[in-house]
């Protein structure tokens, strides 16, 4: 059996066709109910050593400069099967994540050594308890 997740409506949101409320409603259909979908505010990255806080299923990031994150772990352990959508909502700066093979103990298993999240880009991660890391299951680069 193949599990197919709905496509993220990022292009619709980017072009103003979907509101955050509609995106939240779409995600509630595929996310466990124990997760808080929307964070209170965007997390501001102010240093390369800043860890991403997975306090909601959707994490919005801004930055005061472009950074390659060096925090280990970059994202702390989650719950087995937890989904995390990280979106760079900054207007200028790129936030780069590093794979466990590039940055020891980053807690991230990515499709490349590094993944740069430019403004409006997103990455979808799944926490797996057996692997004990966040696994990249999707990514969107918006032009």
């Amino acid at each position: 059996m193949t599990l197919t997740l709905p496509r993220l409506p990022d292009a619709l949101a980017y072009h103003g066709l979907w509101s955050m409320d509609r995106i939240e409603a779409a995600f509630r259909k595929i996310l466990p109910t124990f997760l808080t979908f929307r964070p209170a505010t965007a997390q501001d990255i102010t240093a390369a050593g800043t860890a991403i806080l997975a306090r909601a299923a959707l994490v919005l990031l801004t930055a005061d400069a472009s950074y390659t994150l060096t925090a280990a772990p970059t994202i702390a352990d989650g719950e087995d099967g937890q989904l995390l959508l990280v979106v760079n909502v900054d207007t200028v700066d790129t936030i780069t994540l590093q794979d466990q093979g590039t940055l020891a103990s980053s807690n991230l298993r990515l499709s490349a050594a590094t993944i740069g999240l430019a403004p409006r880009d997103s990455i979808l991660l799944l926490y797996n308890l057996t692997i004990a890391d966040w696994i990249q299951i999707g990514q969107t680069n918006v032009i």
Side-chain angles (χ1 to χ4, degrees):
M1 181 175 151
T2 301
L3 175 65
T4 304
L5 295 175
R7 293 199 60 187
L8 301 177
D10 56 278
L12 295 174
Y14 174 69
H15 293 291
L17 299 176
W18 278 38
S19 67
M20 283 304 294
D21 290 333
R22 288 192 64 196
I23 294 170
E24 181 175 343
F27 264 89
R28 285 200 184 280
K29 293 178 182 177
I30 62 169
L31 294 175
T33 57
F34 66 87
L35 294 176
T36 300
F37 184 78
R38 189 182 298 179
T41 60
Q43 180 183 350
D44 192 25
I45 304 296
T46 59
T50 304
I52 295 172
L53 304 175
R55 293 182 286 194
L58 173 63
V59 175
L60 306 175
L61 300 178
T62 61
D64 62 357
S66 290
Y67 291 105
T68 296
L69 299 183
T70 58
T74 303
I75 305 173
D77 290 352
E79 298 290 328
D80 193 30
Q82 181 180 347
L83 288 171
L84 183 65
L85 178 62
V86 179
V87 181
N88 180 357
V89 295
D90 196 90
T91 58
V92 177
D93 302 305
T94 297
I95 301 164
T96 301
L97 308 176
Q98 299 185 74
D99 181 77
Q100 181 98 355
T102 303
L103 174 64
S105 300
S106 72
N107 226 18
L108 300 172
R109 299 296 178 163
L110 306 174
S111 62
T114 62
I115 300 288
L117 298 177
R120 298 177 304 279
D121 288 353
S122 63
I123 187 168
L124 183 60
L125 304 165
L126 170 75
Y127 188 80
N128 181 276
L129 187 59
T130 303
I131 298 171
D133 286 322
W134 291 95
I135 302 164
Q136 178 184 349
I137 60 172
Q139 179 183 356
T140 302
N141 294 318
V142 180
I143 55 169

